[in-house]
Amino acid sequence: IEAGDITAHFALGDYTENTKKDLKAALSSYTLGAEAGQTDCMVRAAVFHMEGKGTDKNSERGVELLEKAAKEGNSQAHLMLAARILGEEEPDLGKGYAHLLAAANGGLTLAQNELGLFYLSGRLGVADLPAAASWFTRAAQAGFAAAQNNLATLFERGAGVEQSFDKAGQLYSLAAQQGNASATLALARFHAAGAGTKMNRERAWALASLAAERGEKENAASLLKELEAAFSKEELAAAKKELESIKAEKPAQ
């Protein structure tokens, strides 16, 4: 800091916040960094003000800091402003979209996925499925599991892209390997039906069970019931062994 490196304000604030647990001192560091023009410090200081961390809650001050950081090109600030605007009861869709687009163009995979959902929803008037697929693709290629799952769904349905069960299965598999519950259940359906892959009821049962553990319990129940009704004791035992094998697999990189 003494040498004029303004990024050190953020490092000191982060250390003070998360290691020393001194929120007031952390806010002081973030504020000094923000005043020096460090945009990450502006974002962190904004969060402190909006949440009342180390100071009295002041949402207006927080938004001011986010807007200042966004003007300086901070993608996280754009994303936070977009979430705030689009979450209002009567949102300014144009303004929220502009911030979301800026965050997505800034390389934030979460923003790219959210922009894909925005186009899919048709909130600007008409749904644009090819545009949704394009943004899901950018985030999926960067390894963002939710986008991989969303893009897989488009390939499965042939919505905005040419239908391809093979591509859908590959994407569901990548997302499932990262723990995405929806993709895990979808992959189970594919194995049960032999869509985009060879039919494998034991693996389908194992994946459906894993999806249930990951939060898709209600949606997985009917598939599990259907599979178990057709299983012999030996097949159910093999399916349970398959589940343990999947759990032991190394997560996707």
Side-chain angles (χ1 to χ4, degrees):
I1 291 172
E2 289 177 357
D5 184 353
I6 62 174
T7 63
H9 287 292
F10 183 84
L12 181 58
D14 183 65
Y15 167 76
T16 308
E17 176 187 356
N18 297 301
T19 302
K20 297 187 70 176
K21 309 296 182 182
D22 188 337
L23 297 182
K24 288 186 177 181
L27 177 57
S28 177
S29 292
Y30 291 138
T31 299
L32 288 172
E35 291 172 350
Q38 216 284 329
T39 60
D40 287 333
C41 282
M42 295 177 196
V43 172
R44 288 304 301 156
V47 171
F48 272 52
H49 283 291
M50 290 189 292
E51 296 181 359
K53 295 172 62 174
T55 186
D56 293 332
K57 189 173 182 179
N58 187 337
S59 296
E60 290 184 1
R61 176 57 180 158
V63 171
E64 287 176 3
L65 286 164
L66 287 179
E67 290 178 341
K68 185 176 180 180
K71 287 180 180 178
E72 294 297 324
N74 187 286
S75 299
Q76 187 63 37
H78 279 297
L79 180 57
M80 292 175 68
L81 286 169
R84 186 177 181 85
I85 293 168
L86 296 174
E88 296 175 350
E89 290 186 10
E90 297 183 4
D92 183 334
L93 294 177
K95 188 175 181 180
Y97 168 80
H99 281 299
L100 189 57
L101 179 62
N105 281 324
L108 292 184
T109 53
L110 175 58
Q112 292 167 353
N113 183 63
E114 289 298 321
L115 189 57
L117 293 172
F118 193 88
Y119 277 116
L120 199 61
S121 71
R123 294 184 73 180
L124 288 176
V126 180
D128 188 338
L129 299 182
S134 177
W135 283 107
F136 287 148
T137 298
R138 288 179 64 171
Q141 289 175 339
F144 195 68
Q148 291 169 341
N149 177 66
N150 291 331
L151 183 59
T153 301
L154 295 186
F155 274 114
E156 180 182 355
R157 299 176 180 175
V161 293
E162 184 177 349
Q163 188 176 45
S164 172
F165 291 113
D166 287 341
K167 290 181 179 179
Q170 292 167 9
L171 286 160
Y172 280 138
S173 181
L174 288 171
Q177 288 177 50
Q178 294 189 70
N180 186 281
S182 296
T184 305
L185 181 56
L187 195 59
R189 290 190 292 100
F190 270 40
H191 279 287
T197 185
K198 291 183 179 179
M199 182 182 292
N200 187 331
R201 295 187 304 168
E202 288 82 4
R203 190 166 183 83
W205 183 94
L207 287 165
S209 298
L210 187 58
E213 292 180 12
R214 290 174 172 176
E216 288 282 357
K217 185 175 182 179
E218 185 175 343
N219 292 328
S222 59
L223 179 57
L224 287 169
K225 184 178 180 181
E226 178 185 337
L227 291 168
E228 289 171 4
F231 276 169
S232 65
K233 290 184 178 180
E234 291 76 14
E235 287 173 326
L236 181 57
K240 291 180 178 179
K241 187 174 181 180
E242 181 72 12
L243 175 59
E244 296 306 314
S245 177
I246 292 174
K247 287 183 177 181
E249 291 176 1
K250 185 177 180 181
Q253 298 299 310

